Every structure is written in C-alpha cells, then in structure tokens.
Amino acid sequence: MKLVYFAWVRERVGKADEVVDLPAGLATVADLLRWLRGRGEEYAYAFEGDGVVRVAIDRVHAKPDASLAGATEIAFFPPMTGG
C-alpha cells in the first residue's frame, strides 16, 4: 500500500511517501490511523488529533469508516482553508 503525506503531515512524519505492508485486520481509515499512531513518535505527532487529518483513498476523499479494501494509495493532508 502506498501512503502519501502532504503539507505539515509530511513535515511531521519526515517523508513524502512510503510503501507499507498493512497488518491483517485493518479494515477502515480509522483502523489505519490508529495503526499509524503506533509506528513512532513522529506518526503519533502527525496523527494526534482525531478528525484533523483528511484522508483520500485512491484520490477520493474518505471518512473514518471508509473501507480500505482494494485501495492502492492512501493520502493524508491537513484541512484546507480558503479565502
């Protein structure tokens, strides 16, 4: 699975992207976020606030209960503001 990090998420994690083998049992975006938080202090810092980081599955915005089944790329980015 390819994970892509944008903006301050990338800065906190310390990389723009990576390819990982997800453990069995991760079914949803929420499961993935919990797993990422446990990968080290940089991930815990990047994903510390529930609902803050936005997620896209194969370039389509996804909610925490969205399924990871069949996904090839998961992107993480901070909320966007506009003006």
Side-chain angles (χ1 to χ4, degrees):
M1 172 82 58
K2 183 174 183 179
L3 305 180
V4 183
Y5 309 106
F6 292 96
W8 59 255
V9 179
R10 177 185 63 237
E11 293 169 10
R12 292 178 181 187
V13 169
K15 57 186 89 172
D17 59 60
E18 63 183 319
V19 176
V20 298
D21 291 323
L22 298 181
L26 294 185
T28 66
V29 167
D31 294 338
L32 176 58
L33 291 170
R34 276 191 294 277
W35 178 73
L36 285 168
R37 284 186 199 111
R39 292 187 72 206
E41 66 182 52
E42 65 276 21
Y43 291 93
Y45 179 47
F47 299 105
E48 66 187 346
D50 286 334
V52 175
V53 173
R54 303 295 186 240
V55 178
I57 298 174
D58 294 327
R59 300 182 183 205
V60 176
H61 289 268
K63 294 188 178 204
D65 62 349
S67 173
L68 300 175
T72 58
E73 179 184 272
I74 309 290
F76 303 93
F77 48 94
M80 295 177 219
T81 60

